[in-house]
Amino acid sequence: MSESVCTEIRKCVNMTDANLWFQCVQHVKDMVGGYMYRDTHNESPFIIPINNDSEVLSSYPSTMIVKIQIKVKTKAAALEIEKMVKEFAQVNETVQIKKLLKVLEEFATSQNTNTKKGGLIGLAAIAIALGKDTALYTDELIQPILACFSDSDLRVRYYACESLYNVVKVARGAVLPHFTDIFNALSKLAADPDQNVKNGSELLDRLMKDIVTESSSFDLVAFMPLLREKIYTNHTLEIKKMCDTVLGEFLRSIKQDPNRVDFAGMINIVIFHSQAADDMLQFTALTWIKEFVQLSGRMMLPFASGILTAVLPCLSYDNIRETARAVNFSMMKLITAEDNRELPDTEYQDTEQAVEKLDLPSVVDVLIKHLSYTSVHTKVAVLRWIYHLHIKVPNKMFRHVQELFPVLLRTLSDTSDEVVQQDLEVLAEIISSPAGRTHSIPENNQLDMSALEKQATNNKNPYFSKFMVSLLHSFSSDQHHLLEDRGAFIIRQLCVLLNSEDIYRSLAEILLHEKQLKFASIMVQTLNSILLTSSELFQLRNKLKDLNSEESCVLFCCLYKSWSHNPVATVALCFLTQSYRHVCDLIHIFADLEITVEFLTEIDKLVQLIESPIFTYLRLELLAVPCNQHLVQALYGLLMLLPQTEAFNTLRQRLDCVSSLHLHYCADRNDRLTNMEEKNSIKAKHIDFSELLEHFVSIQEQHRQDKNVSRTKILLDKGIHTMSSIINLFPNIFKFLLVFPMDLNPRP
């Protein structure tokens, strides 16, 4: 502003005459070319205060107050300012330009709304006038305008957007040093409640985007933390939709040229966000993981543990389960038999396999952790992963069997049949894998190592025996009622997955050394019931039924020795193998056994089994002429053991049907026995029934002694409890005796 204007202002400061005051103001107005005005469209005039902080009045004493009210007409004033700045610029009057900027800055930061708007318009006019020289004054132009972005008046905010738009349009790349401040201001206006202000901010935003994209000096790396911070602090639905749109475009560009993408550098970021609580964010992250796995292939193997950490929990959510399954399936396909091959470290350094190496220990840790999740879908997926790894990389997986084995055994008590079945498939693969032959197992004091070593020799995989011993130990501990709730299901599934004969032979040999005799009896009863009723053991029943080979006879003897823990199960096994003579011998010994309700209940169930389709051949054999006297005698023996219950009546009716047949041929008994012995010559050669009978008697004697010990212990416990009660009552009894002393000399 020229010195003449300042001089005229000084003249007006202390004038008291109104006419002279008006003339002075009018004179100043003429000197600035109509810069001062009254807005006829606004009741409130656009007042431009000149305070004692202004550079224009810096020479005045602090007590002087400028009382001039200057009315400015917007368009005319802007044009006049533009004209003045151009003149100053032509003669390189930078000092005057800065003075004018200072005045307009004070206007823009005024408390008066109209003053602010005038200052904003004036700043834009200066930028337009300066043109390319605007770069010299960007700080003085931009900062006052940005201060108005947070003004409470919506029109001031709108004017600020318009003013900054004009400044940025002229300055272009010169505003990039102020990009952070501009971006912060725009991020606030993006959620402005006034639509006009939002439209203005969007125009400015597009202009800034154009400038940034055309500039090679823009620091994109430094901008990312600011962008991330703003996105995280705004969780509105609109922001989420916009982010989703941008991410979609970004993902499409990645698909078009995946070779330029640093998947390894990005995957951990996506994995981190896949564990967010927000459903939309979680789904988006899983979608990106799926695309990364499909696009980069085996490059994702080193990150398999992180990907599984992200995917496995998501399988329990209905809305994203399919996406999680797709990722899980794609990851499984990446693992091949090649990963089972051991490569030296030098070869890893020279090949791409160093980048594609599977970090198996971390993967196993993740799988073990997620196997304890409550979701059935998650647990099934984990078990399928363990199974898949044992198929593809068995040699490497057997290094982690010691960690997996206890967890897999505990999983057998899961409430879900699907989980238990999948768990058994994994265990069956482990205990039957040829890779297990080369891996030794540490000694476990809880296991019967003699039986274990024997089974290891027979089955070549030591984990087979370890599993069987551990399974029986789990059944005997009965912490989760595993035998009662899941015992039959587990045994049947194992017989489907593995050789049923190996399963029964192994369990029988281990039970032979079982110290808990009561558990051994219950376990034999369970195994016998499965053997006689399960369709999965049809072939094993047929093999035992005929005993027409040395192998079948050896199997019978193996089972018999353990079956001796349960008398009724032993009889059932002999009925199955058509060893009727031995059944008669056993029934005679039953007279020396303790007949309990449980014992009679088991015989009742055996009668029901005889009437079932399993023993059809036995019932038809009753029709044979000549009949098998030992079979009839054995059935009559069972009949005599039973009380007169429904089972008694059933068996008696069955025997009544054949009584008229076998009585006519008693005379030919010796001939028939001779023929049967010839028929069963293999059985007679390989089975010593006398020895088996002695073994049965020995085992039953052990059970008798064990029951006596248990009963004695119970009685002792009850006696100790009674004595403890008496001792606790002794003080009261003693007090009673003191109160009522006994008369040692009673009167006659």
Side-chain angles (χ1 to χ4, degrees):
M1 193 172 291
S2 64
E3 187 66 27
S4 58
V5 175
C6 295
T7 302
E8 293 298 327
I9 291 174
R10 290 189 187 100
K11 293 178 181 179
C12 298
V13 171
N14 290 320
M15 288 184 178
T16 56
D17 184 82
N19 293 330
L20 186 58
W21 177 282
F22 179 77
Q23 291 175 6
C24 185
V25 173
Q26 188 66 31
H27 181 60
V28 174
K29 175 183 175 182
D30 294 337
M31 293 184 67
V32 298
Y35 176 65
M36 293 168 287
Y37 82 107
R38 178 178 180 84
D39 188 356
T40 59
H41 299 288
N42 196 326
E43 296 179 358
S44 177
F46 186 8
I47 302 172
I48 304 178
I50 302 177
N51 53 45
N52 59 349
D53 294 329
S54 173
E55 290 184 9
V56 179
L57 301 178
S58 60
S59 59
Y60 293 150
S62 59
T63 57
M64 297 180 66
I65 301 175
V66 180
K67 299 179 180 180
I68 301 176
Q69 292 184 334
I70 305 174
K71 288 79 176 176
V72 182
K73 190 173 183 179
T74 307
K75 186 174 181 180
L79 293 174
E80 185 61 29
I81 292 174
E82 185 178 342
K83 180 180 178 182
M84 289 171 61
V85 173
K86 285 181 179 179
E87 292 174 357
F88 291 150
Q90 287 177 359
V91 296
N92 200 23
E93 286 283 351
T94 57
V95 176
Q96 296 297 330
I97 295 174
K98 288 186 177 181
K99 285 183 179 181
L100 185 56
L101 284 169
K102 183 63 177 177
V103 173
L104 292 173
E105 179 183 352
E106 292 174 359
F107 293 170
T109 56
S110 171
Q111 297 299 318
N112 187 282
T113 301
N114 291 322
T115 304
K116 288 181 182 180
K117 292 190 287 188
L120 292 169
I121 294 171
L123 290 171
I126 291 177
I128 294 171
L130 289 173
K132 63 181 181 179
D133 293 333
T134 306
L136 302 173
Y137 307 96
T138 52
D139 189 61
E140 292 88 344
L141 289 167
I142 292 175
Q143 293 304 326
I145 299 175
L146 290 177
C148 295
F149 271 55
S150 58
D151 194 90
S152 59
D153 190 281
L154 61 91
R155 290 193 60 79
V156 172
R157 297 197 300 272
Y158 178 78
Y159 271 66
C161 289
E162 186 177 21
S163 178
L164 187 57
Y165 180 87
N166 289 320
V167 173
V168 172
K169 189 173 183 180
V170 175
R172 305 296 293 183
V175 303
L176 289 180
H178 304 275
F179 177 80
T180 301
D181 295 333
I182 296 174
F183 181 79
N184 282 328
L186 285 174
S187 64
K188 295 177 182 178
L189 291 185
D192 196 279
D194 185 73
Q195 188 60 42
N196 290 329
V197 176
K198 290 178 68 175
N199 293 339
S201 66
E202 289 174 2
L203 287 173
L204 178 59
D205 182 63
R206 284 197 290 269
L207 178 59
M208 289 298 300
K209 288 176 182 175
D210 293 339
I211 294 172
V212 168
T213 53
E214 70 186 18
S215 173
S216 59
S217 61
F218 180 70
D219 191 353
L220 185 62
V221 176
F223 172 59
M224 285 299 107
L226 176 62
L227 181 62
R228 182 172 62 245
E229 177 187 352
K230 293 299 179 183
I231 292 176
Y232 283 164
T233 54
N234 291 276
H235 296 287
T236 62
L237 181 60
E238 183 178 0
I239 297 295
K240 290 182 180 180
K241 289 182 179 179
M242 293 175 66
C243 289
D244 186 56
T245 302
V246 173
L247 286 171
E249 295 176 358
F250 190 20
L251 188 58
R252 281 193 291 272
S253 64
I254 290 176
K255 290 180 180 180
Q256 292 174 0
D257 192 3
N259 295 327
R260 298 178 58 187
V261 180
D262 182 13
F263 291 105
M266 297 173 64
I267 186 63
N268 286 327
I269 300 173
V270 184
I271 290 172
F272 174 78
H273 286 87
S274 67
Q275 302 174 50
D278 186 272
D279 292 343
M280 184 176 181
L281 179 56
Q282 201 172 39
F283 175 75
T284 303
L286 278 179
T287 303
W288 276 68
I289 294 175
K290 181 182 72 172
E291 297 297 339
F292 276 23
V293 173
Q294 293 177 352
L295 293 172
S296 62
R298 288 176 59 85
M299 288 178 61
M300 290 293 102
L301 283 181
F303 309 96
S305 59
I307 294 174
L308 289 177
T309 302
V311 170
L312 291 174
C314 295
L315 291 169
S316 60
Y317 306 134
D318 295 336
N319 54 339
I320 55 177
R321 182 176 300 150
E322 292 304 320
T323 305
R325 281 178 177 171
V327 177
N328 194 47
F329 179 73
S330 299
M331 284 299 299
M332 278 188 172
K333 289 172 60 178
L334 298 180
I335 300 174
T336 63
E338 289 295 321
D339 297 309
N340 195 41
R341 188 164 60 97
E342 296 287 352
L343 292 177
D345 295 338
T346 54
E347 187 171 349
Y348 273 127
Q349 296 175 359
D350 299 335
T351 64
E352 293 183 358
Q353 293 187 9
V355 183
E356 301 174 355
K357 183 180 178 181
L358 177 67
D359 185 6
L360 191 59
S362 62
V363 170
V364 172
D365 289 342
V366 171
L367 294 175
I368 291 175
K369 175 183 175 182
H370 286 82
L371 198 54
S372 61
Y373 271 50
T374 56
S375 169
V376 173
H377 296 283
T378 298
K379 287 188 281 192
V380 169
V382 169
L383 292 168
R384 286 175 179 169
W385 259 103
I386 298 174
Y387 180 83
H388 183 72
L389 290 171
H390 270 286
I391 294 294
K392 297 297 182 181
V393 288
N395 292 330
K396 293 182 178 180
M397 278 299 292
F398 264 96
R399 300 171 187 169
H400 305 280
V401 168
Q402 293 300 318
E403 307 167 46
L404 286 167
F405 219 76
V407 182
L408 294 173
L409 285 172
R410 286 196 300 269
T411 308
L412 290 175
S413 60
D414 194 271
T415 56
S416 169
D417 287 348
E418 186 179 5
V419 172
V420 175
Q421 185 173 2
Q422 192 65 47
D423 187 33
L424 288 171
E425 289 185 23
V426 176
L427 287 167
E429 177 59 32
I430 292 174
I431 65 181
S432 63
S433 174
R437 301 172 186 174
T438 58
H439 291 78
S440 60
I441 58 177
E443 291 189 3
N444 187 341
N445 294 331
Q446 296 178 352
L447 307 183
D448 188 335
M449 295 307 299
S450 61
L452 187 63
E453 291 172 354
K454 184 176 181 180
Q455 283 298 314
T457 303
N458 294 339
N459 297 282
K460 299 181 180 179
N461 186 335
Y463 288 97
F464 182 91
S465 296
K466 179 177 181 179
F467 168 68
M468 292 302 169
V469 174
S470 301
L471 179 62
L472 286 177
H473 179 72
S474 299
F475 285 154
S476 64
S477 62
D478 202 30
Q479 295 176 355
H480 304 284
H481 303 284
L482 184 60
L483 179 58
E484 180 181 351
D485 299 337
R486 283 278 187 271
F489 178 76
I490 291 172
I491 300 299
R492 290 176 61 181
Q493 290 299 316
L494 285 174
C495 291
V496 172
L497 297 168
L498 300 170
N499 185 285
S500 58
E501 181 178 340
D502 291 341
I503 297 294
Y504 266 73
R505 186 190 299 274
S506 176
L507 291 174
E509 292 183 355
I510 297 170
L511 283 172
L512 192 59
H513 304 274
E514 179 60 47
K515 303 301 181 183
Q516 300 182 43
L517 298 183
K518 184 176 181 180
F519 164 71
S521 176
I522 296 173
M523 191 67 214
V524 167
Q525 181 183 354
T526 302
L527 291 173
N528 184 69
S529 176
I530 297 170
L531 175 64
L532 296 178
T533 60
S534 175
S535 59
E536 291 86 356
L537 278 79
F538 175 77
Q539 293 182 351
L540 181 60
R541 284 198 299 272
N542 282 343
K543 186 173 185 178
L544 288 169
K545 184 177 70 173
D546 297 330
L547 293 181
N548 55 4
S549 65
E550 181 181 355
E551 183 182 359
S552 61
C553 292
V554 172
L555 175 61
F556 168 75
C557 293
C558 177
L559 296 180
Y560 183 96
K561 291 178 180 180
S562 293
W563 260 235
S564 297
H565 284 290
N566 189 293
V568 179
T570 308
V571 169
L573 178 64
C574 292
F575 271 129
L576 176 66
T577 57
Q578 304 182 57
S579 304
Y580 306 128
R581 179 194 291 268
H582 192 67
V583 173
C584 295
D585 296 336
L586 289 172
I587 291 176
H588 282 109
I589 295 176
F590 283 3
D592 299 327
L593 301 180
E594 181 181 3
I595 306 299
T596 62
V597 175
E598 294 179 357
F599 180 85
L600 294 176
T601 302
E602 291 183 36
I603 294 180
D604 189 290
K605 292 179 180 179
L606 177 59
V607 172
Q608 295 178 28
L609 281 174
I610 292 174
E611 294 296 320
S612 69
I614 300 297
F615 283 103
T616 300
Y617 68 93
L618 183 148
R619 298 194 302 273
L620 291 175
E621 195 170 348
L622 291 173
L623 300 176
V625 179
C627 68
N628 190 321
Q629 181 182 358
H630 296 295
L631 171 59
V632 176
Q633 186 178 351
L635 294 176
Y636 270 108
L638 289 180
L639 187 65
M640 295 300 106
L641 289 172
L642 284 169
Q644 295 190 18
T645 60
E646 183 178 354
F648 174 87
N649 295 327
T650 301
L651 184 56
R652 186 181 64 177
Q653 292 173 6
R654 176 67 62 184
L655 291 172
D656 288 344
C657 295
V658 297
S659 58
S660 59
L661 292 174
H662 68 80
L663 292 176
H664 295 289
Y665 293 93
C666 292
D668 300 328
R669 182 182 59 173
N670 293 331
D671 294 338
R672 292 197 302 273
L673 291 176
T674 301
N675 294 333
M676 291 176 63
E677 289 175 357
E678 292 176 355
K679 180 180 180 182
N680 298 316
S681 57
I682 297 177
K683 180 190 299 186
K685 182 178 180 181
H686 296 288
I687 300 176
D688 186 349
F689 283 101
S690 299
E691 180 183 348
L692 293 178
L693 192 62
E694 291 178 2
H695 174 79
F696 175 82
V697 173
S698 172
I699 294 295
Q700 289 303 309
E701 178 62 23
Q702 293 178 23
H703 277 269
R704 186 186 66 79
Q705 294 176 3
D706 183 70
K707 288 180 181 179
N708 291 336
V709 171
S710 299
R711 289 168 180 170
T712 303
K713 184 179 179 181
I714 293 172
L715 291 174
L716 287 174
D717 291 341
K718 288 182 177 180
I720 292 172
H721 178 72
T722 304
M723 288 297 298
S724 299
S725 301
I726 294 173
I727 292 172
N728 291 332
L729 293 173
F730 183 77
N732 296 329
I733 298 173
F734 185 71
K735 290 179 182 179
F736 179 81
L737 293 175
L738 290 176
V739 175
F740 300 99
M742 295 179 63
D743 189 355
L744 299 178
N745 297 308
R747 295 177 182 178

Coordinates of all heavy atoms in Angstrom, one line a residue, residues 525 566-569 571-572 575 590 595-612 615 637-651:
Q525 N -14.7 -107.0 26.9 CA -16.1 -107.0 26.6 C -16.4 -106.1 25.5 O -17.2 -106.4 24.6 CB -16.9 -106.6 27.9 CG -18.4 -106.6 27.7 CD -19.1 -106.1 28.9 OE1 -18.5 -105.9 30.0 NE2 -20.4 -106.0 28.8
N566 N -12.5 -111.9 30.6 CA -13.9 -111.8 30.7 C -14.5 -113.2 30.3 O -14.5 -113.6 29.2 CB -14.5 -110.7 29.7 CG -15.9 -110.5 29.9 OD1 -16.8 -111.3 29.6 ND2 -16.2 -109.3 30.4
P567 N -15.1 -113.9 31.2 CA -15.6 -115.3 31.0 C -16.6 -115.4 29.8 O -16.5 -116.2 29.0 CB -16.2 -115.7 32.3 CG -15.5 -114.9 33.3 CD -15.3 -113.6 32.7
V568 N -17.6 -114.5 29.9 CA -18.6 -114.6 28.8 C -18.1 -114.2 27.5 O -18.4 -114.9 26.5 CB -19.8 -113.6 29.2 CG1 -20.9 -113.7 28.1 CG2 -20.4 -114.0 30.6
A569 N -17.1 -113.3 27.4 CA -16.5 -112.9 26.1 C -15.7 -114.1 25.6 O -15.7 -114.4 24.4 CB -15.6 -111.7 26.3
V571 N -16.4 -117.3 26.1 CA -17.3 -118.3 25.6 C -17.8 -117.8 24.2 O -17.9 -118.6 23.3 CB -18.5 -118.4 26.6 CG1 -19.7 -119.2 25.9 CG2 -18.1 -119.1 27.8
A572 N -18.1 -116.5 24.1 CA -18.5 -116.0 22.8 C -17.5 -116.2 21.7 O -17.8 -116.6 20.5 CB -18.9 -114.5 22.9
F575 N -17.6 -119.8 20.7 CA -18.8 -120.1 19.8 C -18.5 -119.6 18.4 O -18.8 -120.3 17.4 CB -20.0 -119.3 20.4 CG -20.8 -120.1 21.4 CD1 -21.1 -119.6 22.6 CD2 -21.2 -121.4 21.0 CE1 -21.9 -120.3 23.5 CE2 -22.0 -122.1 21.9 CZ -22.3 -121.6 23.2
F590 N -17.4 -122.4 35.2 CA -18.2 -121.2 35.7 C -18.9 -121.5 37.1 O -19.2 -120.6 37.8 CB -19.4 -120.9 34.7 CG -18.9 -120.2 33.5 CD1 -17.5 -119.9 33.3 CD2 -19.8 -119.8 32.5 CE1 -17.1 -119.2 32.2 CE2 -19.3 -119.1 31.4 CZ -18.0 -118.8 31.2
I595 N -21.0 -115.7 40.6 CA -22.0 -115.3 39.6 C -22.7 -114.0 40.1 O -23.3 -114.0 41.2 CB -23.1 -116.4 39.5 CG1 -22.5 -117.8 39.2 CG2 -24.2 -116.0 38.5 CD1 -21.7 -117.7 37.8
T596 N -22.4 -113.0 39.4 CA -23.0 -111.6 39.8 C -24.0 -111.2 38.8 O -24.3 -111.9 37.8 CB -21.8 -110.6 39.8 OG1 -21.3 -110.5 38.5 CG2 -20.7 -111.0 40.7
V597 N -24.7 -110.1 39.1 CA -25.7 -109.6 38.2 C -25.1 -109.2 36.9 O -25.7 -109.4 35.8 CB -26.4 -108.4 38.8 CG1 -27.4 -107.7 37.9 CG2 -27.1 -108.8 40.1
E598 N -23.9 -108.6 36.9 CA -23.2 -108.3 35.7 C -22.9 -109.5 34.8 O -23.0 -109.5 33.6 CB -21.9 -107.5 36.0 CG -22.1 -106.2 36.7 CD -20.8 -105.5 37.0 OE1 -19.7 -106.1 36.8 OE2 -20.8 -104.3 37.5
F599 N -22.5 -110.6 35.5 CA -22.2 -111.8 34.8 C -23.4 -112.3 34.1 O -23.4 -112.7 32.9 CB -21.6 -112.8 35.8 CG -21.3 -114.1 35.2 CD1 -20.0 -114.4 34.6 CD2 -22.2 -115.2 35.2 CE1 -19.7 -115.6 34.1 CE2 -21.9 -116.4 34.7 CZ -20.6 -116.6 34.1
L600 N -24.6 -112.3 34.8 CA -25.8 -112.8 34.2 C -26.3 -111.9 33.0 O -26.8 -112.4 32.0 CB -26.9 -113.0 35.3 CG -26.6 -114.0 36.3 CD1 -27.7 -114.0 37.4 CD2 -26.5 -115.4 35.7
T601 N -26.0 -110.6 33.2 CA -26.4 -109.7 32.1 C -25.6 -110.0 30.9 O -26.2 -109.9 29.8 CB -26.2 -108.2 32.6 OG1 -27.0 -108.0 33.8 CG2 -26.6 -107.2 31.6
E602 N -24.4 -110.3 31.0 CA -23.5 -110.6 29.9 C -24.0 -111.8 29.2 O -24.0 -111.9 27.9 CB -22.1 -110.7 30.3 CG -21.4 -109.3 30.7 CD -20.0 -109.5 31.0 OE1 -19.3 -110.3 30.4 OE2 -19.5 -108.8 32.0
I603 N -24.4 -112.8 30.0 CA -24.9 -114.1 29.3 C -26.2 -113.8 28.6 O -26.5 -114.3 27.5 CB -25.1 -115.2 30.4 CG1 -23.8 -115.6 31.0 CG2 -25.8 -116.4 29.9 CD1 -23.9 -116.6 32.1
D604 N -27.0 -112.9 29.2 CA -28.3 -112.5 28.5 C -28.0 -111.9 27.2 O -28.6 -112.2 26.2 CB -29.0 -111.5 29.4 CG -30.4 -111.3 28.9 OD1 -30.5 -110.6 27.9 OD2 -31.4 -111.7 29.6
K605 N -27.0 -111.0 27.1 CA -26.6 -110.4 25.8 C -26.0 -111.4 24.9 O -26.3 -111.3 23.6 CB -25.6 -109.3 26.1 CG -26.1 -108.1 26.8 CD -25.0 -107.1 27.1 CE -25.6 -105.9 27.8 NZ -24.5 -104.8 28.1
L606 N -25.3 -112.4 25.4 CA -24.8 -113.5 24.5 C -25.9 -114.3 23.9 O -25.8 -114.6 22.7 CB -23.8 -114.4 25.3 CG -23.3 -115.6 24.6 CD1 -22.5 -115.1 23.3 CD2 -22.4 -116.4 25.5
V607 N -26.9 -114.6 24.6 CA -28.1 -115.3 24.1 C -28.7 -114.5 22.9 O -29.1 -115.0 21.9 CB -29.1 -115.6 25.2 CG1 -30.4 -116.2 24.6 CG2 -28.5 -116.6 26.2
Q608 N -28.8 -113.2 23.2 CA -29.4 -112.3 22.1 C -28.5 -112.3 20.9 O -29.0 -112.3 19.7 CB -29.5 -110.9 22.6 CG -30.5 -110.7 23.8 CD -30.6 -109.3 24.3 OE1 -30.3 -108.4 23.6 NE2 -30.9 -109.2 25.6
L609 N -27.2 -112.4 21.1 CA -26.3 -112.5 19.9 C -26.4 -113.8 19.2 O -26.4 -113.8 17.9 CB -24.8 -112.3 20.4 CG -24.3 -110.9 20.7 CD1 -22.9 -110.9 21.3 CD2 -24.3 -110.1 19.4
I610 N -26.6 -114.9 19.9 CA -26.8 -116.2 19.3 C -28.1 -116.1 18.4 O -28.1 -116.8 17.3 CB -26.9 -117.3 20.3 CG1 -25.6 -117.4 21.0 CG2 -27.4 -118.6 19.7 CD1 -25.6 -118.4 22.2
E611 N -29.1 -115.3 18.8 CA -30.3 -115.2 18.0 C -30.1 -114.2 16.8 O -31.1 -114.0 16.1 CB -31.4 -114.8 18.9 CG -31.8 -115.8 19.9 CD -32.4 -117.1 19.2 OE1 -33.1 -117.0 18.2 OE2 -32.0 -118.2 19.6
S612 N -29.0 -113.5 16.7 CA -28.7 -112.5 15.7 C -28.2 -113.1 14.4 O -27.8 -114.3 14.4 CB -27.8 -111.4 16.2 OG -26.5 -112.0 16.3
F615 N -24.7 -115.3 14.2 CA -24.6 -116.7 14.5 C -25.6 -117.5 13.8 O -26.0 -118.6 14.3 CB -24.7 -116.9 16.0 CG -23.5 -116.5 16.8 CD1 -23.5 -115.3 17.5 CD2 -22.4 -117.4 16.8 CE1 -22.3 -115.0 18.2 CE2 -21.3 -117.0 17.6 CZ -21.2 -115.8 18.3
G637 N -25.9 -125.7 28.7 CA -25.1 -125.1 29.9 C -25.4 -123.7 30.1 O -25.6 -123.2 31.2
L638 N -25.5 -122.9 29.0 CA -25.9 -121.5 29.2 C -27.3 -121.4 29.7 O -27.6 -120.5 30.5 CB -25.8 -120.8 27.8 CG -24.5 -120.5 27.2 CD1 -24.6 -119.8 25.9 CD2 -23.6 -119.6 28.2
L639 N -28.2 -122.3 29.3 CA -29.6 -122.2 29.7 C -29.7 -122.5 31.2 O -30.4 -121.8 31.9 CB -30.4 -123.3 29.0 CG -31.9 -123.3 29.2 CD1 -32.5 -122.0 28.7 CD2 -32.5 -124.5 28.6
M640 N -28.8 -123.4 31.7 CA -28.8 -123.7 33.1 C -28.2 -122.5 34.0 O -28.6 -122.4 35.2 CB -28.0 -125.0 33.4 CG -28.6 -126.2 32.8 SD -30.3 -126.5 33.4 CE -31.3 -126.1 32.0
L641 N -27.4 -121.7 33.4 CA -26.8 -120.6 34.1 C -27.8 -119.5 34.3 O -27.7 -118.7 35.2 CB -25.5 -120.1 33.4 CG -24.3 -121.0 33.5 CD1 -23.2 -120.4 32.6 CD2 -23.8 -121.1 34.9
L642 N -28.7 -119.4 33.3 CA -29.6 -118.2 33.3 C -30.8 -118.4 34.3 O -31.3 -119.5 34.4 CB -30.2 -118.0 31.9 CG -29.3 -117.4 30.8 CD1 -30.0 -117.6 29.5 CD2 -29.1 -115.9 31.2
P643 N -31.2 -117.3 34.9 CA -32.5 -117.4 35.7 C -33.6 -117.4 34.6 O -33.4 -117.2 33.4 CB -32.5 -116.1 36.5 CG -31.6 -115.2 35.7 CD -30.5 -116.0 35.1
Q644 N -34.8 -117.7 35.1 CA -35.9 -117.8 34.1 C -36.4 -116.5 33.7 O -37.4 -115.9 34.2 CB -37.0 -118.7 34.8 CG -36.6 -120.1 35.0 CD -37.8 -121.0 35.4 OE1 -38.9 -120.6 35.2 NE2 -37.5 -122.1 36.1
T645 N -35.7 -115.9 32.8 CA -36.0 -114.6 32.2 C -36.4 -114.8 30.8 O -36.6 -115.9 30.3 CB -34.8 -113.7 32.3 OG1 -33.7 -114.3 31.6 CG2 -34.3 -113.5 33.8
E646 N -36.5 -113.7 30.1 CA -36.9 -113.7 28.7 C -35.8 -114.4 27.9 O -36.1 -115.2 26.9 CB -37.1 -112.3 28.2 CG -37.6 -112.2 26.7 CD -37.8 -110.8 26.3 OE1 -37.8 -109.9 27.1 OE2 -38.1 -110.6 25.1
A647 N -34.5 -114.2 28.2 CA -33.4 -114.8 27.5 C -33.5 -116.3 27.7 O -33.2 -117.1 26.8 CB -32.1 -114.3 28.0
F648 N -33.8 -116.8 28.9 CA -34.0 -118.2 29.2 C -35.0 -118.8 28.3 O -34.8 -119.9 27.7 CB -34.3 -118.4 30.7 CG -34.6 -119.8 31.1 CD1 -33.6 -120.6 31.5 CD2 -35.9 -120.3 31.1 CE1 -33.9 -121.9 31.8 CE2 -36.2 -121.6 31.4 CZ -35.2 -122.4 31.8
N649 N -36.2 -118.2 28.2 CA -37.3 -118.7 27.4 C -36.9 -118.7 25.9 O -37.2 -119.7 25.2 CB -38.5 -117.9 27.6 CG -39.1 -117.9 29.0 OD1 -39.0 -119.0 29.7 ND2 -39.7 -116.9 29.5
T650 N -36.2 -117.7 25.5 CA -35.8 -117.7 24.1 C -34.8 -118.8 23.8 O -35.0 -119.5 22.7 CB -35.0 -116.3 23.8 OG1 -35.9 -115.3 24.1 CG2 -34.6 -116.3 22.4
L651 N -33.8 -119.0 24.6 CA -32.9 -120.1 24.3 C -33.5 -121.5 24.5 O -33.3 -122.4 23.7 CB -31.7 -120.0 25.3 CG -30.5 -121.0 25.1 CD1 -30.0 -120.9 23.7 CD2 -29.4 -120.7 26.1

